[in-house]
Amino acid sequence: VQLVESGGGLVQPGGSVRLSCVVTGFTLDSYAVAWFRQAPGKEREALSAISPKDGRTHYGDSVMGRSTISSDNGQKTVHLHLRDLMPGDTAKYYCAADLFFPRPGFWDQSTRWNYWGQGTQVTVSS
């Protein structure tokens, strides 16, 4: 199982970014995938999760209303589109996968996710 993130970079405040997570070693519709981020000196924060099999999603409070998670099962890719970016969104963004799609109240626990990518850096600055 391998996950590879891409799409990060330098973004101006108010801009948007589309992050991608390509998975190999398993079929996308048999796993759940989530996005987390971690800024220096801060704990890892859950952003969103999706069950590619049936489209169920979760969103964290910090990105609710300005983010969209989606999956392209044929391309084995999960995207996270994040809009209205602020300097506080600066962090390294990770995707994670697991066999089970956690229920509300559990999906945001990083220990629930067994497979992780190496991350992609997003820096929001003018």
Side-chain angles (χ1 to χ4, degrees), residues 108-123:
D108 56 352
Q109 300 169 11
S110 61
T111 53
R112 291 276 175 174
W113 301 88
N114 283 310
Y115 305 100
W116 291 83
Q118 294 300 307
T120 184
Q121 177 70 33
V122 174
T123 301

Side-chain angles (χ1 to χ4, degrees), residues 16 39 83 99 109 123:
S16 64
R83 304 174 291 276
L99 274 173
Q109 300 169 11
T123 301

Side-chain angles (χ1 to χ4, degrees), residues 7-123:
L10 178 63
V11 185
Q12 289 193 343
S16 64
V17 68
R18 187 180 189 231
L19 305 178
S20 298
C21 174
V22 178
V23 304
T24 56
F26 60 92
T27 55
L28 191 56
D29 61 1
S30 61
Y31 276 69
V33 177
W35 283 95
F36 288 74
R37 68 184 178 190
Q38 189 165 20
K42 294 188 177 181
E43 293 187 355
R44 192 163 290 192
E45 177 189 12
L47 302 177
S48 186
I50 188 167
S51 171
K53 181 177 182 179
D54 55 24
R56 287 178 291 164
T57 58
H58 296 306
Y59 289 95
D61 290 342
S62 64
V63 297
M64 183 80 71
R66 62 186 185 100
S67 66
T68 304
I69 191 169
S70 61
S71 68
D72 183 336
N73 293 7
Q75 295 296 318
K76 303 186 76 173
T77 303
V78 172
H79 300 287
L80 180 69
H81 186 209
L82 191 57
R83 304 174 291 276
D84 299 324
L85 289 167
M86 302 170 285
D89 292 312
T90 295
K92 197 163 188 180
Y93 286 68
Y94 299 88
C95 65
D98 196 73
L99 274 173
F100 303 103
F101 185 64
R103 294 173 291 165
F106 292 91
W107 73 276
D108 56 352
Q109 300 169 11
S110 61
T111 53
R112 291 276 175 174
W113 301 88
N114 283 310
Y115 305 100
W116 291 83
Q118 294 300 307
T120 184
Q121 177 70 33
V122 174
T123 301

